[in-house]
Amino acid sequence: MMYRLAIASTVLALGACAGPHGSHHGKDHEGHKGMGMKDKGMSFFVTSMNPGKGADLGGLAGADAHCAALAQAAGSKGKNWKAYLSSSQENARDRIGKGPWMNAKGVVVATSVENLLSDANNLTKDNAIDEKGMVINGRGDTPNRHDMMTASNAKGMLEGGTCNDWTSSGEGSVLVGHHDRVGGGAAPTSWSSAHPSRACGMEALRATGGEGLYYCFAAN
């Protein structure tokens, strides 16, 4: 009889520790749910890395897929990610939806396409962060990574080269912008169209102050 009572007491104790769902996972689930709610708000980021071939991103489809993969790895779900890149077929401004767009820390960087392409946007070094919420090196940092590939002018439309529509890492060039809004070029404070790159490969992109990074926006 005493043996049966001991077993019953143990079972009751384990049940109390497990909580109403019968396991410790209830608390963990709530924690993950909270993180998911935070991540779900992110609708803009700068890529933390290049896929490896400079401006050869596998075309716009490959560039979009890289955005999606980075966002998913950071915990974001349910977003239709688009690279802010122009090509011979599309302008960057027409690819990214209507906004508003929020970074990984919950800061709204632009409320609409018109706001994004105006001087009233909220794109700065501190706000144009990567998918993990990390600040990207700018001018004065080592190494400087502030050149963001766009192939787009200040109005978000194609200007200059596209490195064979984002499939070449050889000769050619693309317009880059400065995410920190400082530097050299014809328009040093432009986040979209500061100056052309030297060429399409990683070494050429690094030589002018970049690393083949670009902007990603959620179009939904």
Side-chain angles (χ1 to χ4, degrees), residues 6-216:
I7 292 177
S9 298
T10 301
V11 170
L12 287 171
L14 288 173
C17 291
H21 297 291
S23 75
H24 293 285
H25 292 178
K27 184 176 181 180
D28 292 341
H29 175 72
E30 289 301 316
H32 288 307
K33 182 178 179 181
M35 289 176 64
M37 289 297 288
K38 180 181 179 181
D39 293 335
K40 187 177 180 181
M42 182 178 71
S43 50
F44 161 83
F45 64 89
V46 172
T47 57
S48 58
M49 66 182 72
N50 180 275
K53 297 181 180 180
D56 179 0
L57 302 171
L60 288 180
D64 294 343
H66 185 54
C67 287
L70 291 176
Q72 183 176 359
S76 180
K77 298 179 180 179
K79 297 291 185 182
N80 179 25
W81 291 99
K82 294 291 185 178
Y84 187 85
L85 302 171
S86 291
S87 74
S88 62
Q89 304 298 316
E90 293 182 85
N91 290 314
R93 64 175 295 154
D94 299 324
R95 312 191 74 244
I96 60 173
K98 297 180 179 179
W101 298 282
M102 183 184 300
N103 70 15
K105 292 186 176 180
V107 176
V108 175
V109 297
T111 58
S112 64
V113 173
E114 291 72 22
N115 178 242
L116 176 68
L117 299 174
S118 75
D119 292 333
N121 68 47
N122 202 19
L123 283 173
T124 64
K125 180 182 178 181
D126 289 336
N127 292 338
I129 53 181
D130 72 17
E131 72 280 359
K132 296 173 284 188
M134 302 299 292
V135 174
I136 304 291
N137 279 8
R139 192 175 191 186
D141 299 324
T142 303
N144 180 11
R145 307 172 76 204
H146 76 166
D147 284 356
M148 302 293 152
M149 302 188 299
T150 69
S152 307
N153 61 22
K155 295 182 179 180
M157 302 177 72
L158 173 65
E159 185 171 316
T162 63
C163 293
N164 196 26
D165 278 348
W166 308 103
T167 62
S168 172
S169 58
E171 296 181 356
S173 69
V174 293
L175 272 178
V176 298
H178 294 154
H179 85 300
D180 55 359
R181 315 300 289 272
V182 295
T189 62
S190 174
W191 64 272
S192 177
S193 55
H195 58 79
S197 66
R198 291 189 182 182
C200 301
M202 283 299 296
E203 291 306 313
L205 293 170
R206 287 174 177 145
T208 50
E211 202 166 343
L213 307 183
Y214 55 95
Y215 304 106
C216 298

